[in-house]
């Protein structure tokens, strides 16, 4: 009963008692004359009863209490897939309760502290961090997980670059505007200060940096402990690191050091019993746990081995006897806190599983694991795992496809390898190894055999696979992508035959990756070859120059124009000196440099180089040679960018006619000329002709190259622009959205082509009258253009001009006029006063000035945005 209801009842009973008192008073005192009639007495009693009942019903009726709403947690954005923590594989985390409590106390009140979970390999640092992340997520905290890669990534990014990108993504997910990060990078400010300044103002987050075993690179400008880099105390959330480095001096003030030690025999026994309940008594499990040094990873490996239904050693005692009876060189009483000793112990534990697999009829499991361990720390394509991977001297067993498949299945069953499901990129099966499995297995290869034979066999197999898969083209792209990081292990520059074959194989793989739009991986391979050739041949060798040119081309395709220009200039200078100005390689380098200058908006320089190149190509190769026609096409493109449309149209028509005759109508180069001619027609205002050519080109590109190819996407983008010019805005918007989505997925959000699509979609939204959406998209595009291409690039200036137009449509005239004046000033300086874009800005400025002088009913002239 609620307090309110109790109070109402008291009032009712008090009223009832008073009324009864009035009635019963006649028993002891003189009865009033008006109350001497018995009928009246009973009527009064009846009235009292009825009154009490009504009072009880009316006055004590409970009003519905307000609903007890559940506590509404603050809204946090979803964590990006690449920053999500791994899933816990353990049902219980044994022996870490006190440690978890210590971390929870910091989680609830960071107070300028961060946590470093430290210990040797195999101590369960990552498992503990995963448990903390799970608990924080259950409490509604936003959780982010970064695996520190001090050695960098397979895509060519250094560890520092990758960490910076991930930290920025964390801040952006928590609400930091993307434009602020871009502005800081553009201005040369401190990105780390920006991110940590935001993290210090944003409460509740949990950030795990796993595997920070090599702290160098985390500090940026000095030691990590000085807290001028990515590791800092004072954030409003919890920063948690896992590392093998146990020194407090490394991490500095504010670091709460959580040192993981081996589990006690009782705790280790419970781990074994969790995994293998039927493996024996608690005492037997304790003895085995003691023998394994309390190392969590070793305990898990032993427990899973004992729990296998087909296991030979299905009891803890049997497993312990096998350990003690083994005669190989294994430390009998290892210090499990010593990393090398721990790896040896864990490796020996896994050796027992390999013995078990051999007894079960899979003798190739051991040599297969050895071979896989000598590959790179990256997913291994399933198609690479063939009999050729194992040296002839490694086993007496006949090596065939069936025995390899059986061995791989056994390794996966015992948890020695993982076989994750195919992802959306690779589309094929792959195999991964835990880093400690790789380390321990490699140690045993070195200990037990001559590693040279293993490496020679693996190198030969990798090269043969590369040659076979690149010959298959598109069909083998998924496997070729996974092969790339393993080729980087091959660095033999001393043997002439093997070096040439290896170099050619890597070059061919890089070619295929570029055709598959996997340019970032191709860059890594190109750099690898260039570095090896520079060491072997020197920087002036023709092969080195060819590799340098190839690297510059892939940098250009990724929109990294400044880096590409530097490499092309270097290559051209050396080629001119070594090979002569008329050599095909020199002309190729000169043409490529001109292309980059065109992408940078330096059109006069590009025109001069293209004219010089075309003159020599025509003289040396003839006017119909495909290389000459390519030079002619490139010159026409620059003329268009200079606003000299009639010249550009004439040159494109000539090139298209010759390419159709020489190469055929469906050749990609012919289609490129057709597309470029349509662009010039669009610039001349001949939209119907341009639309027809663009539709024809897009149809053939899609059929020949596929809809995701950059050429097809450019054709689709150009068709949408013409539809916009024709006033068919809905159709244009559909094509632009489709192109933007695909370019973002294929090329990345910062690629110049992606930014162009974003800008063009914003133009269509303005034409549809959706000004607020257009403004937002234009501002996003302008920020990205400025950051990626610079504030003076023609693309950036066009984006700035388009934003000003939208602001004018929204009635924000002063902001629009300021942007227009800024654009006109910069275009005059960069492009010259006679460039069409400059003249368009000037005309717009004059129009805006005239509009202010007109009466309010005057109708403004509509001009097309440039």
């Amino acid at each position: 009963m609620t307090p309110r209801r109790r109070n109402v009842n008291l009032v009712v009973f008090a009223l009832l008692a008073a009324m009864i008192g009035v009635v019963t008073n006649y028993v002891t005192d003189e009865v009033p004359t008006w109350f001497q009639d018995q009928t009246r007495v009973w009527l009064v009693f009846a009235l009292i009863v009825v009154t009490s009942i009504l009072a009880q019903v009316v006055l004590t009726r409970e009003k519905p209490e307000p609903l007890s709403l559940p506590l509404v947690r603050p809204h946090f954005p979803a964590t990006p897939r690449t920053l999500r923590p791994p899933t816990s594989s353990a049902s219980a985390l044994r022996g870490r309760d006190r440690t978890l409590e210590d971390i929870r106390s910091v989680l609830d009140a960071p107070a300028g502290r961060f946590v470093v979970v430290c210990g040797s390999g195999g101590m369960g640092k990552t498992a503990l961090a995963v448990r903390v992340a799970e608990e924080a997520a259950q409490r509604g905290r936003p959780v982010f997980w970064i695996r520190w890669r001090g050695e960098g990534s397979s895509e060519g990014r250094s560890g520092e670059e990758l960490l910076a990108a991930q930290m920025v993504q964390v801040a952006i997910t928590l609400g930091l505007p993307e434009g602020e990060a871009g502005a800081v990078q553009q201005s040369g400010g401190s990105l780390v200060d920006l991110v940590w300044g935001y993290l210090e103002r944003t409460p509740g987050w949990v950030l795990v940096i796993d595997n920070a075993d090599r702290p160098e690179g985390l500090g940026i400008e000095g030691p990590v402990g000085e807290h001028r880099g990515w590791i800092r105390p004072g954030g409003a959330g919890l920063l948690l690191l896992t590392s093998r480095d146990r020194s407090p001096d490394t991490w500095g003030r504010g670091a709460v050091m959580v040192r993981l030690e081996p589990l006690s025999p009782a705790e280790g026994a419970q781990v074994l019993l969790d995994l293998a309940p039927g493996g024996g008594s608690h005492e037997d499990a304790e003895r085995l746990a003691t023998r394994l040094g309390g190392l969590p990873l070793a305990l898990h490996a032993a427990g899973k081995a004992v729990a296998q239904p087909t296991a030979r050693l299905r009891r803890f005692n049997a497993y312990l006897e096998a350990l003690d009876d083994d005669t190989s060189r294994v430390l009998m009483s290892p210090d499990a806190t010593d990393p090398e000793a721990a790896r040896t112990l864990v490796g020996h534990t896994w050796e027992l599983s390999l013995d078990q697999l051999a007894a079960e009829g899979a003798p190739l499991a051991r040599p297969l694991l050895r071979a896989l361990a000598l590959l790179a720390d990256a997913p291994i394509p399933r198609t690479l795992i063939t009999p050729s991977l194992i040296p002839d001297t490694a086993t007496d067993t006949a090596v065939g496809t069936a025995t390899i498949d059986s061995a791989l299945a056994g390794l996966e069953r015992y948890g020695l390898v993982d076989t994750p499901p195919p992802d959306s990129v690779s589309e094929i099966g792959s195999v991964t190894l835990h880093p400690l499995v790789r380390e321990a297995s490699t140690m045993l290869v070195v200990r037990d055999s001559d590693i040279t034979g293993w490496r020679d066999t693996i190198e030969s197999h990798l090269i043969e696979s590369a040659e076979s898969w690149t010959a298959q083209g598109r069909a083998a792209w998924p496997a070729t992508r996974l092969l790339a990081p393993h080729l980087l292990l091959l660095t033999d520059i001393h043997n002439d035959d093997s070096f040439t074959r290896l170099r050619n194989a890597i070059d061919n793989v890089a070619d295929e990756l570029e055709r598959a739009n996997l340019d970032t991986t191709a860059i890594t391979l190109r750099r690898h070859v260039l570095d090896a050739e520079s060491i072997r041949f020197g920087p002036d060798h023709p092969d080195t120059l060819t590799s340098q040119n190839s690297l510059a081309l892939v940098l250009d395709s990724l929109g990294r124009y400044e880096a590409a220009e530097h490499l092309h200039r270097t290559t051209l200078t050396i080629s001119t000196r070594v090979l002569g100005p008329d050599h095909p390689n020199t002309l190729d380098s000169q043409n490529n440099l001109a292309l980059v200058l065109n992408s940078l908006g330096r059109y006069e320089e590009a025109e001069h180089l293209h004219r010089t190149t075309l003159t020599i190509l025509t003289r040396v190769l003839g006017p119909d040679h495909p290389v000459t026609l390519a030079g002619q096409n490139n010159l026409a493109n620059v003329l268009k960018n200079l606003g000299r449309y009639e010249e550009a149209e004439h040159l494109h028509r000539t090139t298209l006619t010759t390419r159709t005759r020489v190469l055929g109508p469906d050749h990609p180069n012919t289609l490129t000329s057709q597309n470029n001619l349509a662009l010039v027609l669009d610039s001349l205002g001949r939209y119907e002709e341009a639309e027809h050519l663009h539709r024809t080109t897009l149809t053939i590109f899609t059929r020949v190259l596929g809809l995701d190819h950059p050429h097809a996407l450019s054709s689709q983008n150009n068709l949408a622009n013409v539809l916009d010019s024709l006033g068919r805005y809905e159709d244009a918007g559909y094509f632009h959205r489709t192109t933007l989505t695909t370019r973002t997925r294929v090329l990345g959000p910062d690629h110049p082509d992606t930014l162009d699509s974003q800008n063009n979609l914003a133009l269509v939204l303005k034409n549809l009258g959706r000004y607020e959406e257009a403004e937002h998209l234009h501002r996003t595009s302008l920020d990205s253009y400025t950051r990626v291409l610079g504030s003076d690039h023609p693309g950036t200036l066009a984006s700035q001009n388009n934003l000003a137009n939208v602001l004018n449509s929204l009635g924000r005239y002063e902001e629009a006029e300021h942007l227009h004046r800024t654009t006109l000033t910069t275009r005059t300086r960069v492009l010259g006063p006679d460039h069409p874009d400059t003249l368009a800005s000037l005309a717009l400025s004059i129009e805006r000035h005239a509009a202010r002088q007109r009466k309010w009913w005057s109708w403004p002239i509509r001009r097309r945005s440039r």
Side-chain angles (χ1 to χ4, degrees), residues 303-343:
K304 290 177 70 173
V306 171
Q308 288 294 329
T310 59
R312 175 173 56 86
L313 307 173
R314 300 199 59 190
R315 305 288 293 180
F316 297 139
N317 282 339
Y319 199 96
L320 180 62
E321 289 173 6
L323 276 173
D324 292 335
D325 292 343
D326 192 88
T327 57
S328 63
R329 292 190 299 113
V330 179
L331 296 175
M332 299 306 295
S333 300
D335 174 14
T337 62
D338 177 71
E340 295 303 320
R343 290 190 187 96

Side-chain angles (χ1 to χ4, degrees), residues 228 300 610:
R228 291 185 293 170
H300 278 81
H610 276 311

Side-chain angles (χ1 to χ4, degrees), residues 615-626:
T615 300
I616 300 175
L617 287 173
T618 304
R619 173 170 52 82
V620 173
L621 301 177
D624 289 353
H625 194 280

Side-chain angles (χ1 to χ4, degrees), residues 48 144 198 281 383 590 656 798 816 823 866:
I48 292 172
F144 305 92
Y198 191 82
S281 66
T383 49
Q590 191 165 276
L656 176 59
T823 306
R866 293 188 62 84

Side-chain angles (χ1 to χ4, degrees), residues 793-794 796-805 816-850 852 863-866:
H793 190 276
T796 306
L797 296 174
S799 178
Q800 190 169 274
N801 178 77
N802 296 336
L803 174 59
N805 288 339
E817 181 178 1
H818 172 72
L819 272 182
H820 277 309
R821 287 186 181 277
T822 302
T823 306
L824 174 59
T825 301
T826 310
R827 277 178 164 172
T828 302
R829 172 172 55 81
V830 174
L831 303 176
D834 296 334
H835 190 278
D837 288 357
T838 307
L839 295 176
S841 285
L842 180 61
L844 198 56
S845 178
I846 294 172
E847 178 187 326
R848 298 292 182 233
H849 177 74
R852 290 196 299 274
R863 291 186 182 273
R864 180 165 170 256
S865 298
R866 293 188 62 84

Side-chain angles (χ1 to χ4, degrees), residues 448-491:
D448 297 337
S449 59
D450 179 12
I451 198 171
T452 303
W454 286 86
R455 293 202 181 279
D456 288 345
T457 300
I458 291 173
E459 176 177 319
S460 176
H461 183 54
L462 287 173
I463 294 175
E464 289 175 359
S465 299
E467 293 170 342
S468 172
W469 295 352
T470 53
Q472 298 176 39
R474 180 190 297 268
W477 281 353
T480 304
R481 166 184 169 266
L482 294 181
L483 181 66
H486 304 287
L487 290 173
L488 299 177
L489 294 175
L490 309 182
T491 57

